[in-house]
Amino acid sequence: MERQKMLAIPLKTTSRTDIQTPLSNYLNNSPTLPHPSQCRDGLMRISALRNCLALSICTRDAHKHAIAEHALRDASEYHAGLLELEKVGFPILEGKIAGLSLEWECGFRKEETKTIRTNFVYERACLLFNIAALESHLASESDHSTKDGLKASIAKYNTAAGL
């Protein structure tokens, strides 16, 4: 019996970028937020996570590579870090952090269609999209010939749909 193909959402791709410097500069100029030296390790970690994701999600069909490179874990941790930045007072509006430029490519279009934003709202949306895409890939790779495999697949698709 031939294995049926299941839906896996394509990934959005991004490129490596320095987010640590613009965030540190924003902290330097903010009287209400902590000094960058107090946040150095956290900013380095957030920047490293983003750049690891850029390397592991290199094409819209790089699901297996991304999963092997722990992109699901990294994307979740990076998203949590961005939420924490918002919680402590980093702005979420476009253009408020000088030098911040976040680029993402559409996962559905064949031609290169890049969107560049200067805030973390779109960044978080792209992360959630990619988490759902990776979950859908895991669901599509489950063993659909067994009851347990189908249950696992359904759980992954439900997770992807709930994001």
Side-chain angles (χ1 to χ4, degrees):
M1 184 170 144
E2 185 180 326
R3 183 166 193 246
Q4 290 184 345
K5 299 265 184 189
M6 300 297 286
L7 173 71
I9 302 167
L11 293 160
K12 286 180 163 287
T13 59
T14 188
S15 55
R16 291 175 52 95
T17 189
D18 176 22
I19 63 170
Q20 185 178 352
T21 301
L23 293 176
S24 293
N25 290 341
Y26 185 82
L27 285 173
N28 274 331
N29 297 321
S30 175
T32 59
L33 293 174
H35 190 269
S37 62
Q38 295 173 301
C39 306
R40 186 176 152 283
D41 291 344
L43 293 178
M44 284 176 57
R45 179 69 181 152
I46 287 172
S47 185
L49 286 167
R50 188 185 198 289
N51 288 329
C52 285
L53 286 169
L55 292 175
S56 64
I57 301 174
C58 49
T59 69
R60 67 177 161 266
D61 299 317
H63 297 81
K64 286 183 183 181
H65 175 70
I67 288 169
E69 294 291 321
H70 307 289
L72 195 54
R73 180 200 63 207
D74 290 349
S76 297
E77 185 179 344
Y78 179 46
H79 186 266
L82 293 179
L83 286 175
E84 194 60 34
L85 288 179
E86 287 181 26
K87 196 163 110 179
V88 297
F90 277 85
I92 61 170
L93 299 176
E94 193 79 20
K96 296 292 184 181
I97 301 175
L100 183 67
S101 180
L102 305 164
E103 180 181 290
W104 287 88
E105 190 173 315
C106 180
F108 294 106
R109 295 189 182 145
K110 297 279 186 210
E111 69 277 357
E112 287 187 25
T113 307
K114 295 181 180 179
T115 302
I116 299 172
R117 295 284 187 263
T118 59
N119 69 61
F120 289 121
V121 174
Y122 187 72
E123 182 87 344
R124 286 185 27 237
C126 290
L127 284 168
L128 291 174
F129 182 93
N130 276 348
I131 291 169
L134 291 170
E135 291 285 356
S136 74
H137 173 75
L138 291 172
S140 73
E141 294 291 306
S142 295
D143 180 5
H144 299 118
S145 65
T146 67
K147 193 173 188 177
D148 288 341
L150 281 174
K151 281 183 182 179
S153 183
I154 290 168
K156 292 291 182 187
Y157 277 127
N158 281 337
T159 299
L163 293 172

